[in-house]
Amino acid sequence: MLDGSATARVRLSPELVAFCERPEPKQGPEPGLAYFSEGDYQAAADRFLAEASDGPLWVFAYGSLLWSPAFNAEARHLAEAKGWRREFCMEIRRWRGSPEQPGLMMGLRKGGTCSGVVLQLAHDDRRGQLVRLLRREVDTDEDLQSVRWIEADTSLGKVRALACWAEPVRSRMFVEKSIEEQAHMLARACGFGGSGAAYLHRTMTSLAGLGIADDYLTTLDELVAQEIIGRTGFSVSSL
């Protein structure tokens, strides 16, 4: 058994993440949901464009959009969203989870401060790029409720930016979990799109590359590493 002083310094690594990766079948449509049509995505994009100014259209990136934005971004700036914080608060049984081993997706919760990046959608194709973002982030009208405008502080001053999965008013996936429960799930969940541990590690790596630290994610990273070591017996000295 590892003592507390040793485990406290253990962090996720590619070697530990590899223990969580496994082949998982791609899940089909979730029963009972009315999935968006192409027309629904176009209408949603038009709504957000009508709410936006004629200037740059910004999207706040705090998780996977940092390394895989799913749209053409022609500018990016470090940003700080006050009144929001990251949290793994959405339970998923697809993509990075399965019906047998649900995972968690990160969203924005009210309270605290979240440092990330604002990305400017390519201005000459704002509608097309916005549709690409929405296709990736939302499946239903319920999901669309979590896409909202927030304010972020940047070197340009305050900007208004769209944020995805920001404190959903109502969501079939929203859950309240302690950080220990989050770590337990992330250390075990995997789906067709990869593991929860891989998602957390990629987020941490991306933030580190930007010079951003997040105390919550740092603690969660250590807890997930400990969970993986505890269930695999992997030697700390091998890291």
Side-chain angles (χ1 to χ4, degrees):
M1 180 174 292
L2 298 171
D3 62 44
S5 61
T7 58
R9 293 189 298 271
V10 175
R11 301 291 298 276
L12 276 177
S13 66
E15 293 81 5
L16 288 178
V17 168
F19 282 114
C20 303
E21 299 294 315
R22 57 184 178 271
E24 289 284 348
K26 188 173 184 178
Q27 300 293 325
E30 189 174 342
L33 290 187
Y35 281 82
F36 266 11
S37 66
E38 180 60 27
D40 291 326
Y41 284 116
Q42 300 288 342
D46 287 341
R47 190 195 97 193
F48 287 122
L49 287 173
E51 296 170 352
S53 68
D54 292 332
L57 201 166
W58 300 98
V59 174
F60 183 67
Y62 60 92
S64 60
L65 291 180
L66 292 170
W67 72 83
S68 181
F71 57 84
N72 294 335
E74 61 184 45
R76 63 176 59 210
H77 298 276
L78 291 175
E80 188 175 74
K82 293 177 181 175
W84 299 94
R85 70 183 188 278
R86 294 179 181 84
E87 187 172 315
F88 280 89
C89 57
M90 312 293 288
E91 189 171 294
I92 53 173
R93 290 172 169 79
R94 284 162 171 74
W95 190 239
R96 291 187 184 271
S98 67
E100 297 74 26
Q101 183 63 70
L104 291 170
M105 183 174 77
M106 192 160 57
L108 287 178
R109 300 290 309 277
K110 291 182 178 178
T113 299
C114 180
S115 295
V117 168
V118 286
L119 305 171
Q120 182 188 347
L121 274 69
H123 194 73
D124 61 353
D125 185 30
R126 299 201 308 172
R127 189 172 188 271
Q129 299 307 315
L130 186 51
V131 168
R132 286 179 60 185
L133 170 68
L134 293 172
R135 281 201 198 107
R136 166 177 153 158
E137 293 294 329
V138 305
D139 290 321
T140 70
D141 188 61
E142 178 187 282
D143 299 341
L144 193 64
Q145 295 182 41
S146 69
V147 182
R148 63 180 61 190
W149 296 100
I150 67 171
E151 278 196 344
D153 295 321
T154 75
S155 59
L156 304 175
K158 285 190 180 296
V159 302
R160 188 167 176 250
L162 279 176
C164 299
W165 299 106
E167 191 77 22
V169 176
R170 177 175 63 88
S171 173
R172 66 195 179 280
M173 296 182 288
F174 184 78
V175 292
E176 295 279 356
K177 300 285 185 183
S178 69
I179 193 169
E180 291 80 12
E181 290 173 312
Q182 294 169 34
H184 181 89
M185 294 176 71
L186 290 172
R188 291 163 175 79
C190 187
F192 180 78
S195 69
Y199 175 81
L200 174 59
H201 184 57
R202 189 69 182 270
T203 301
M204 292 291 289
T205 301
S206 296
L207 291 174
L210 294 167
I212 296 174
D214 185 301
D215 291 342
Y216 157 73
L217 287 185
T218 297
T219 299
L220 185 60
D221 183 275
E222 293 175 353
L223 290 173
V224 172
Q226 292 174 30
E227 286 276 349
I228 297 170
I229 290 170
R231 70 180 178 82
T232 64
F234 187 72
S235 173
V236 178
S237 62
S238 301
L239 294 175

